[in-house]
Amino acid sequence: MLRIGLTGGIGAGKSTVSAILAEHGAVIIDADKIAREVVAPGEPLLEELARTFGDQVIAADGGLDRPRLAAAAFADEEGTAALNGLMHPAIRTRTAEHFEENSDAEVVVHDVPLLVENAMTPAYHLNLLVDVPADLRLQRLMDARGMDRADAQARIARQAGDDERRAVCDVIIDNAGAVEDTQAAVSHLVSDRLLPFAENLRLQRRAERGGIELCDPAEADWSGEAARIIAKLRHGTDDRYDVEHIGSTAIPGLVAKDVIDLQMLVPDQAAADTLAPRLADLGYPGAAGVDHLGEGEHTAKRFHANTDPGRAVNLHVRTAGSASARFATEFVSLLSRDRGERDRYAELKRELAEKYAGEARTEGYADAKEPYFLMMRRALVPESFA
Ligand code: ADP
């Protein structure tokens, strides 16, 4: 199951986009709806709220009287904490039940207004942001929903800012234009990325990759993307292992293939093997592999290539402290501080990319870089050649 987070500031058009996604077959789990469900008449949580905050929080019709609950709970910090302490676990449990009930679905979208505020993005394969500048959202809330300006402004101000959301979401759906444009963009997203991603995930098959075209670092956001991917990998492995951005995309200003390389550092290769199914579920099917150190030497690693056709990622699971792990770190560090070396490497890459441009596979290009890497390994991890 491909798990997707969907968010956007109030009035951005989240409901509009989730309806489009549903038309394309995605299952929608609506966080607002669940928050209402868990306090519906007959739910144990409703009685619990009455016990904690007084019977006046139950309205005459037996439902929750929200304004009264808010008055009682938000009066002080203790009340707020008590309310959260009751609501959050109930919502979490109910949400997990909804995911469980839909475990056969290809694509499940969790629609969460406060996805960013609650730091939930690392839990999904992909996070979609419905993006509309705050001033236009304000206008839409007044026009389409009849909210008054002060109320709408206050609600917007209580949420995360637009930049904060953009920094942690993977896909930005621009809904500042006509709804038809958004419909077209979402349709493309579904057919070009979400469905093949879900299928790859189900079949445990790596996504297709482009060739060896080198990209201009000024046009990419590799460090931002790496940070988002690392947050997901750490979250999905219980925050137990360091994950570093390595390779060319980690070196500021260096041309690179549009592939993000990461290394996860584990205590030994047995741990790497144990982690493999977990990484596969996160979208990183893998296999046992080796790192060549040169001169016939090699060390074991696991190599995982990802299932998302919209963003190529290589994940190398290496033993912490091994020569190959240290080399990867040192190489980034050297080329980040030494412009001359960075430019020499860039020149070599351009030459080889041109030479191997016609080839469908990238092995020839990768092999041709080996003599350079052997020289760098000798310089950076000399003790591994004892
Ligand atoms: P959210 O669920 O993110 O709070 P909604 O989906 O309810 O936002 O959208 C807010 C309002 O803006 C709704 O009344 C909706 O009909 C309207 N709206 C959504 N998308 C557009 C758009 N592209 N152009 C104009 N109005 C829109």
Side-chain angles (χ1 to χ4, degrees):
M1 175 208 292
L2 182 68
R3 297 182 299 274
I4 291 179
L6 172 69
T7 196
I10 179 165
K14 245 175 341 76
S15 317
T16 310
V17 169
S18 77
I20 304 171
L21 289 165
E23 275 168 36
H24 284 86
V27 169
I28 311 292
I29 298 182
D30 181 333
D32 278 347
K33 212 161 113 191
I34 289 178
R36 289 192 298 272
E37 242 176 68
V38 294
V39 292
E43 290 287 337
L45 181 58
L46 186 61
E47 288 157 31
E48 191 89 33
L49 290 174
R51 272 201 295 281
T52 308
F53 297 104
D55 286 337
Q56 83 283 1
V57 305
I58 312 255
D61 65 0
L64 181 64
D65 187 324
R66 284 171 189 280
R68 285 198 167 154
L69 175 65
F74 297 139
D76 53 38
E77 272 180 31
E78 260 171 44
T80 308
L83 178 62
N84 288 338
L86 291 172
M87 293 293 293
H88 289 173
I91 290 173
R92 248 199 319 274
T93 305
R94 186 64 58 92
T95 305
E97 284 166 11
H98 281 275
F99 271 94
E100 187 56 37
E101 283 158 19
N102 289 290
S103 56
D104 291 343
E106 283 267 291
V107 179
V108 176
V109 176
H110 195 191
D111 175 343
V112 189
L114 299 183
L115 189 79
V116 174
E117 290 81 349
N118 291 336
M120 291 163 69
T121 52
Y124 305 88
H125 290 108
L126 207 61
N127 294 285
L128 316 182
L129 171 63
V130 186
D131 194 33
V132 172
D135 52 349
L136 182 53
R137 287 194 276 126
L138 177 67
Q139 198 57 50
R140 284 185 185 166
L141 287 173
M142 296 192 306
D143 296 349
R145 286 211 207 150
M147 251 185 226
D148 76 61
R149 178 180 289 272
D151 183 23
Q153 268 170 337
R155 284 168 190 249
I156 289 173
R158 277 201 295 273
Q159 298 190 334
D162 292 342
D163 288 342
E164 214 180 316
R165 283 195 200 88
R166 288 182 196 128
V168 295
C169 290
D170 307 292
V171 178
I172 294 186
I173 299 168
D174 177 4
N175 187 37
V179 177
E180 293 71 30
D181 295 342
T182 302
Q183 259 158 352
V186 173
S187 296
H188 280 124
L189 177 68
V190 170
S191 57
D192 297 351
R193 188 163 185 183
L194 305 188
L195 290 180
F197 192 166
E199 189 181 18
N200 289 339
L201 192 59
R202 175 163 50 80
L203 299 174
Q204 289 297 303
R205 176 179 72 187
R206 60 182 283 177
E208 278 181 39
R209 294 272 176 95
I212 49 178
E213 301 81 46
L214 298 177
C215 298
D216 178 354
E219 287 175 11
D221 173 29
W222 288 321
S223 65
E225 287 194 78
R228 291 190 283 273
I229 298 164
I230 288 171
K232 293 179 179 72
L233 284 166
R234 290 195 58 119
H235 179 273
T237 52
D238 305 324
D239 253 343
R240 290 174 63 192
Y241 308 106
D242 279 336
V243 184
E244 297 175 351
H245 185 194
I246 56 163
S248 290
T249 56
I251 296 162
L254 180 63
V255 291
K257 275 190 298 172
D258 192 14
V259 177
I260 289 181
D261 278 276
L262 302 173
Q263 71 176 353
M264 179 175 270
L265 298 167
V266 295
D268 50 45
Q269 284 301 301
D273 292 342
T274 311
L275 268 181
R278 182 81 77 94
L279 294 176
D281 180 58
L282 295 173
Y284 297 82
V290 293
D291 277 317
H292 295 281
L293 294 175
E295 298 172 335
E297 306 260 349
H298 59 261
T299 48
K301 70 167 171 184
R302 286 193 69 98
F303 176 75
H304 298 251
N306 72 331
T307 46
D308 178 2
R311 158 42 61 216
V313 183
N314 290 334
L315 176 64
H316 311 258
V317 184
R318 292 185 169 123
T319 303
S322 65
S324 52
R326 282 182 296 128
F327 173 68
T329 310
E330 289 300 319
F331 183 68
V332 170
S333 153
L334 174 71
L335 267 63
S336 298
R337 60 176 191 263
D338 183 338
R339 279 183 86 102
E341 193 55 55
R342 186 194 73 189
D343 293 344
R344 252 194 306 285
Y345 182 42
E347 194 45 44
L348 171 70
K349 294 215 283 186
R350 282 203 195 87
E351 253 171 51
L352 295 176
E354 202 169 307
K355 183 166 171 200
Y356 292 93
E359 299 190 2
R361 300 170 68 82
T362 57
E363 277 88 347
Y365 168 77
D367 287 348
K369 287 194 302 185
E370 270 306 305
Y372 173 79
F373 276 103
L374 179 58
M375 178 188 81
M376 296 305 274
R377 283 187 197 102
R378 281 212 183 94
L380 293 173
V381 286
E383 67 283 9
S384 66
F385 294 97

